[in-house]
Amino acid sequence: MPGCSVFGLCQYETNKLVRIQSVRLGSLKWSLNGFILLFICIMMLWNRKYQEFDLVVSSVTTKVKGVAQTHLPGGENVVWDVVDYSGPLQDKNSFFVVTNVIETKNQKRGKCPEVPLKGKLCRTDKDCEKGAWDQQSHGIQTGSCVRFDTLRKTCEVSAWCPVETKTKPPKYVPLSSYQIRTGEFNTLWSFCGTKRQALLEAAENFTVLIKNNIRFPAFNFIRRNILPQMNDEYLRSCQRVNDSLCPIFRLGDIVREAGEKFSVMAVEGGVIGILIKWDCNLDRLMQRCLPKYSFRRLDEKESNKTLYPGLNFRYAKYNTVNGVEERTLYKAFGIRFDVMVFGQAGKFSFIQLIIYIGSTLSYYALTTVLIDWLIGTSCYSAEVGQNYNEKKVESVQDKEKCVLCVSYVDENNIRLVKRSQKKRLQDLKPMTVQPRKEDTGHLRAVLSLIQPAVGVDRDAPLDHKDLDQDLNPEPRPGVVSPPAGGRPPVPGPSVPTAGQRPDRRPLRHCAYRQYISWRLGSGSRPTTPTPPSLAAACGESGRSTRAWTESTAASGLTGRQPAAMQACANGEL
């Protein structure tokens, strides 16, 4: 771990890796990495993740053209041009076309009976409140109860008279060619059950020119849907059926592509959305910026599912007759077309490319996860999986638990105990006891270290009795020899000599730790461990414990001692 000093920051740490020599696993790894790389490249090219994008800013203007002739009751022929059927309803990025009409002619300001709304009738003047009105009224009550027809009486109102009596769109029967030629229009108005036809059904053949100007501020790019190669001759003859870029649209085609029937929709009206999508690529080698048109209905078309189906509004035309102002009231049903423009433009950006590459590097971790799962299960090999887990995973006890491993030379068991500040080590009860593996390779390495002058045959079998005699070091000053038949007592304080530290507890603790590490071994070390660099002879409770020491241990910490020994002496236990 990095130290607390400034030099401790100048370190680099890497993760521990385990390399498995396997043709199957290697082929699987590169196959998965290749598939991930191919997927990343396809998604980058498909979604243009290497580009910087900007949203569109646009403006829309429309121009509707068409003329229609209708035949009203009484044989009156009416010609409708763009001013008549467009009406005053002109919103931003939208236009309106009248398809059905209810007319109330010759209205004048005066007093007249109110239309019986929801069966509301009166019998006497007491039933009418002077000055009263509500949202459904056509005027203000005068307080009189007058006759509306031969059977009903309603309250008199001060309003434009006569008041509007019809509110639902009319139903028409289409004219035959014979009726048009002879002028017989007596059967024009009739109610024909469920068959309904709009007054201005001929609006299906009207056309609209849509002019859309766009701009991408980030790239200072400007374009319009009327492309530079489109001239007057092209606009007069182009048809959307043959050319998807034609900016002139037939209203019937718009409604049909939205999935509706114009003759049905024209009776009560509705709302149609014209969607213009700009998906532009502004790179030089692949520059493309063309509009794409689509259509859909925006309102609820089912009359039984909504309270007020369709779309309608009222407007009036005024005139003066004999000095009296009159008006003709129109309740117009029609279709409103909303033009909605959206889109984006992209251009190559090196920064966006680097960001995309960095964000996709994490996908390669899927290969490691999949192979680890495959090795960890029995799908590959149980033996390889166990060996892989032993090499890769190393169990470490938490420092706060203070768990110690205690090993005695005259016992073939390893004791796992919790360290206590109140009890001695030999008095602690072990949590678990595990058998110790005999490995003469450890002892051979130790003998070669402490008895260099004596030739040791590494291949000859060891006799544990002779080994015990060889491993008994000479008694040292300050260390009490263990009594026969019992555990040696804890070493007492020794008289410090020149060059020695007065307090040898760090050395003793380090000796315990080095001995346990040497005795138990480590999962990451080879089968034959290196001899310990430091040990101390100690004994507790009548049992002899043995460890080994270098000749320099008695003279204190010097520059020739290992770094691990120096760390232990400094208190890093």
Side-chain angles (χ1 to χ4, degrees), residues 179-220:
Q179 290 173 324
I180 296 177
R181 290 196 308 268
T182 59
E184 296 180 2
F185 306 113
N186 296 330
T187 60
L188 283 178
W189 288 72
S190 63
F191 294 89
C192 306
T194 58
K195 185 177 180 181
R196 308 172 72 182
Q197 183 173 353
L199 177 64
L200 241 68
E201 193 178 23
E204 182 177 5
N205 296 319
F206 294 170
T207 60
V208 56
L209 171 64
I210 299 178
K211 294 182 289 185
N212 178 212
N213 298 326
I214 65 166
R215 181 174 181 266
F216 297 102
F219 310 123
N220 196 22

Side-chain angles (χ1 to χ4, degrees), residues 32-51:
L32 292 175
N33 287 341
F35 175 77
I36 293 174
L37 178 61
L38 179 62
F39 175 78
I40 291 174
C41 294
I42 292 176
M43 295 304 297
M44 180 182 66
L45 296 177
W46 182 265
N47 296 324
R48 307 206 308 266
K49 294 296 184 180
Y50 56 89
Q51 291 183 335

Side-chain angles (χ1 to χ4, degrees), residues 78 107 167 213 236 302 329 340 356 363 428 438 460 464 472 480 489 520 541 567:
V78 178
Q107 283 189 326
T167 56
N213 298 326
R236 291 192 186 99
E302 297 294 338
L329 178 65
M340 294 172 286
Y356 177 76
Y363 294 161
L428 296 177
E438 292 292 342
H464 289 282
N472 288 326
V480 182
L520 301 181
S541 303

Side-chain angles (χ1 to χ4, degrees), residues 11 26-27 41 72 116 132 143 146 186 224 257 267 272 336 376 385 393 408 454 461 478 497 499 542:
Q11 297 181 8
S27 302
C41 294
L72 298 179
V146 297
N186 296 330
R224 59 186 304 193
E257 292 189 33
V267 174
I272 293 291
R336 189 182 72 199
V393 181
Y408 293 95
V454 180
T497 60

Side-chain angles (χ1 to χ4, degrees), residues 361-497:
L361 290 178
S362 60
Y363 294 161
Y364 288 100
L366 297 176
T367 301
T368 304
V369 173
L370 181 59
I371 295 180
D372 286 350
W373 173 83
L374 184 63
I375 296 176
T377 58
S378 58
C379 299
Y380 184 74
S381 174
E383 182 179 356
V384 173
Q386 182 179 1
N387 189 21
Y388 175 74
N389 292 331
E390 291 178 356
K391 295 294 184 180
K392 184 176 181 180
V393 181
E394 182 178 357
S395 299
V396 178
Q397 298 293 339
D398 193 357
K399 184 178 179 181
E400 295 181 356
K401 295 181 179 179
C402 297
V403 179
L404 303 177
C405 295
V406 179
S407 173
Y408 293 95
V409 177
D410 55 352
E411 273 189 0
N412 290 327
N413 297 327
I414 303 296
R415 299 184 179 187
L416 190 65
V417 300
K418 288 185 178 180
R419 185 173 181 179
S420 176
Q421 300 292 338
K422 298 181 180 180
K423 295 182 179 181
R424 294 180 298 177
L425 186 63
Q426 63 270 22
D427 296 334
L428 296 177
K429 294 182 179 181
M431 296 185 299
T432 58
V433 178
Q434 300 177 358
R436 181 180 58 190
K437 296 181 180 180
E438 292 292 342
D439 190 354
T440 58
H442 297 275
L443 303 181
R444 293 179 187 275
V446 174
L447 286 176
S448 64
L449 177 65
I450 64 175
Q451 295 181 350
V454 180
V456 180
D457 187 1
R458 297 180 180 271
D459 299 329
L462 290 177
D463 187 357
H464 289 282
K465 293 182 180 180
D466 298 338
L467 186 62
D468 291 341
Q469 294 177 3
D470 295 337
L471 295 179
N472 288 326
E474 295 294 334
R476 295 165 53 186
V479 179
V480 182
S481 300
R487 292 187 178 182
V490 179
S494 59
V495 179
T497 60

